[in-house]
Amino acid sequence: GLQFASFVVQYYGLVLDLLVLGLNRASEIAGLPQRPNEYLGYADIETETSHPIRLYTRYLDKIYMLFRFDSSEGKDLIQRYLIEHPDPNNENA
C-alpha cells in the first residue's frame, strides 16, 4: 500500500497537468523525450511565445500559471467576463 501511494500521487499529478495544459502545450513545456527541457525553460523562443501559457508549475494540488496576452486578447477576456458577470455599479461600462 505505502509503496503504491507514490505512484498514485505521481499519476494523479500527470493527469492533472495534462487536463489543465492540454496535450500539445504539455509536450511543448516538457520537450522531446531525447532532449527534455529544463525546469521552466523552453527549447526556443518561438515555442515559448506560441501560446498564452508561458510558465506552469504545480506543487501537490496548487497550480501556478503565468499568462501573457496582447492588448486585443486582454480586452476580449475582460469583455467576456463582464458579459458573464455584470458589474452591479456599472463602473466598468
Side-chain angles (χ1 to χ4, degrees):
L2 197 55
Q3 293 175 345
F4 186 65
S6 67
F7 169 76
V8 171
V9 170
Q10 288 179 3
Y11 185 76
Y12 170 75
L14 175 66
V15 170
L16 185 66
D17 292 342
L18 290 175
L19 288 175
V20 169
L21 290 172
L23 188 58
N24 289 337
R25 190 59 178 171
S27 63
E28 289 174 352
I29 290 175
L32 297 173
Q34 299 83 8
R35 200 175 51 130
N37 294 336
E38 292 188 19
Y39 179 66
L40 297 179
Y42 291 91
D44 55 5
I45 297 294
E46 184 178 305
T47 304
E48 181 178 358
T49 59
S50 67
H51 196 274
I53 297 176
R54 298 297 168 91
L55 297 176
Y56 173 86
T57 190
R58 178 188 41 81
Y59 182 73
L60 298 178
D61 283 344
K62 294 186 189 323
I63 295 174
Y64 302 96
M65 283 196 290
L66 178 70
F67 293 94
R68 174 74 189 236
F69 299 109
D70 60 12
S71 63
S72 64
E73 290 173 333
K75 288 177 184 176
D76 183 46
L77 280 173
I78 291 170
Q79 193 63 32
R80 285 193 289 166
Y81 180 81
L82 289 175
I83 288 171
E84 292 291 325
H85 308 282
D87 187 13
N89 300 328
N90 288 330
E91 295 174 358
N92 292 323

